[in-house]
Amino acid sequence: MEHRLVTHIEKALGWDGPGSVGTAFARGRLTDPDLPARLLTPHRLLDLIKRRHLANPQLRCYTEGDEIHPSTFLSTNVNRRRQAVSQADMAALGRILNDDGTVVLDHVDFFDPTLEVACRALGWWSGELTSANAYLAVGDTDGFHLHWDDHEVIAVQLSGEKTWEVRGPSRPAPMYRDAERNRTPSEDVLWKGTMRAGDVMHIPRGFWHTATRLGSGSGGYSLHVTFGFTKRTGVTWANFLSDAARADEAFRRDLEGAEETVHKMLTDKLSALAATHSPERYLDELRSNTPPARHMPHVAAFGRPEKVAAATEFAPSIVRSGATVQVCGGGNRLTFHERAEPGLRTLLSGHPVYLDAAPDDITTLADLLITEGLCEPLTEISSSGYTGLVTPVTYSKPPPTSA
């Protein structure tokens, strides 16, 4: 999937691919001045919050660097069926923002089609699950205290300004669940400055950072979005091997009272298991077996879809094998005749595909891919997430036949 955001992030950070994610701090500027507002604006963020049932900690608020109790800005309303729903108290949110506060919405891509498509494109690009968090700060407000994240972050300043300080790590490759605590900030300041609309920054896992608007005055604001990449580690591979070992009865038996020969057998079996399920194979299987986070079904009674797009979290694998084509992705493994290969590569490209003038074999193939969960029909709202960001594919109508 060729997405404008991915292209501009690579250019801004001087990268030639996803291999640089997690390697070093990097900073740059998007060359497209219209892209930040296309991703998200403050009013659109507040509109998303207003129209959703939300709970803490997905929706959080801060003032002077400290978290505000959720009862201050979340309310429980009872509808006419006496069903209780949690939603944001928009008047309270307004007071928090007007009194120099910060509003945070985690996984904003779950609600917004533009950021949903952006996260899918970044996931295809990086090979890692990607999500987006939005941070709206108004006035002369402090941000989070100096901290580190257990995932890689690409931060994009969408509007306004915010001052950042980024430091190096104090523990190599720290984890959320770790052998040692990581509470002492590094003294190595890598960069301190102001992010303005269009600026982009990559903060690797474990790098300490903080962001604030203190000293910026009461008349301004800041909106930035962070794209988080949860990369797999040797620990997650070891956890995978632990799960795979359950298939062997020898690993399910008690260790207590086992003879030394049994311990040797388990060691040999574990070594063989690790050799069979290499880290590379583990990553490939993880990506091909991950189902879509969400999927729009095809209901035949509604008629054939006019537009479709791939819905998988990672780019599907399409491999030609003799007279057949093997497709792996979204938790499915499908086999097609070689004639289907061009259509498969188009429909699973990540680009929206307009089917108005598509031949019958393409629409039939699209129906099948939707049924299997690899593609989904695009609605007016979901297709808007691609507009101006991902080039659509349109089939041409065949020329009229002469009499």
Side-chain angles (χ1 to χ4, degrees):
M1 181 193 307
E2 296 178 5
H3 194 286
R4 277 172 58 197
L5 176 63
V6 177
T7 302
H8 283 278
I9 284 177
E10 283 189 327
K11 187 180 297 184
L13 299 180
W15 293 351
D16 57 3
S20 297
V21 176
T23 59
F25 171 74
R27 187 173 60 88
R29 184 166 180 79
L30 302 175
T31 57
D32 183 352
D34 298 325
L35 184 54
R38 175 66 183 87
L39 294 175
L40 188 67
T41 64
H43 280 119
R44 201 165 98 221
L45 174 62
L46 292 176
D47 191 70
L48 290 173
I49 294 173
K50 180 186 75 171
R51 299 179 187 277
R52 300 295 185 274
H53 294 163
L54 296 170
N56 182 267
Q58 184 171 29
L59 180 66
R60 311 189 305 280
C61 293
Y62 296 82
T63 183
E64 297 181 355
D66 295 320
E67 187 168 0
I68 300 173
H69 195 279
S71 63
T72 305
F73 56 87
L74 286 174
S75 62
T76 300
N77 292 335
V78 180
N79 62 20
R80 62 187 180 89
R81 295 182 181 273
R82 298 186 179 278
Q83 298 168 328
V85 293
S86 175
Q87 62 187 75
D89 182 335
M90 299 307 293
L93 283 185
R95 288 192 292 271
I96 290 171
L97 290 172
N98 287 321
D99 290 341
D100 298 342
T102 298
V103 173
V104 181
L105 180 60
D106 286 350
H107 290 284
V108 63
D109 51 291
F110 194 78
F111 306 123
D112 182 77
T114 299
L115 290 174
E116 179 183 40
V117 174
C119 284
R120 182 178 298 134
L122 287 166
W124 283 34
W125 171 73
S126 67
E128 302 291 350
L129 291 173
T130 307
S131 62
N133 297 343
Y135 301 80
L136 177 61
V138 175
D140 193 50
T141 180
D142 200 357
F144 297 113
H145 300 301
L146 195 62
H147 68 285
W148 58 272
D149 294 318
D150 63 348
H151 53 272
E152 322 297 340
V153 170
I154 292 179
V156 181
Q157 187 73 24
L158 301 180
S159 55
E161 300 180 355
K162 205 163 195 180
T163 300
W164 289 70
E165 179 177 295
V166 181
R167 302 186 184 187
S170 51
R171 172 173 169 78
M175 303 184 70
Y176 175 75
R177 182 185 173 194
D178 208 336
E180 297 180 11
R181 295 187 180 274
N182 184 33
R183 292 179 171 176
T184 304
S186 167
E187 298 294 333
D188 180 22
V189 177
L190 302 178
W191 179 73
K192 186 173 183 179
T194 300
M195 293 274 286
R196 297 178 175 82
D199 287 344
V200 59
M201 175 170 54
H202 169 53
I203 304 176
R205 168 166 58 113
F207 281 49
W208 293 82
H209 55 280
T210 183
T212 181
R213 278 191 49 80
L214 285 179
S216 300
S218 60
Y221 69 94
S222 165
L223 173 63
H224 78 271
V225 63
T226 60
F227 295 99
F229 302 81
T230 306
K231 300 188 76 172
R232 307 302 104 183
T233 67
V235 170
T236 52
W237 174 60
N239 290 337
F240 165 78
L241 292 179
S242 174
D243 289 335
R246 301 173 198 274
D248 190 327
E249 179 185 343
F251 286 104
R252 302 199 304 270
R253 292 194 173 276
D254 297 341
L255 285 176
E256 189 70 30
E259 299 177 356
E260 186 175 342
T261 55
V262 175
H263 296 167
K264 176 66 166 57
M265 175 194 65
L266 291 176
T267 301
D268 292 342
K269 280 180 171 288
L270 185 59
S271 177
L273 188 66
T276 302
H277 297 277
S278 66
E280 293 77 14
R281 178 181 173 184
Y282 158 65
L283 290 173
D284 288 342
E285 291 185 355
L286 175 72
R287 289 159 184 160
S288 63
N289 292 332
T290 300
R294 294 182 293 175
H295 181 255
M296 174 72 73
H298 172 37
V299 180
F302 300 163
R304 278 192 158 171
E306 298 177 354
K307 296 172 284 187
V308 299
T312 56
E313 298 298 303
F314 305 109
S317 169
I318 305 174
V319 178
R320 178 81 169 267
S321 178
T324 63
V325 178
Q326 308 292 326
V327 175
C328 297
N332 280 303
R333 298 176 184 272
L334 307 173
T335 302
F336 298 87
H337 191 277
E338 60 181 343
R339 291 194 300 268
E341 182 176 2
L344 289 169
R345 294 195 179 278
T346 298
L347 293 167
L348 297 175
S349 65
H351 294 248
V353 181
Y354 292 70
L355 300 175
D356 290 347
D360 290 342
D361 59 334
I362 295 297
T363 55
T364 301
L365 188 59
D367 290 344
L368 176 60
L369 293 175
I370 293 172
T371 301
E372 296 296 335
L374 276 76
C375 285
E376 65 178 3
L378 293 179
T379 66
E380 182 178 352
I381 293 176
S382 61
S383 63
S384 69
Y386 296 89
T387 304
L389 297 171
V390 183
T391 305
V393 177
T394 303
Y395 283 93
S396 301
K397 292 184 178 181
T401 57
S402 56

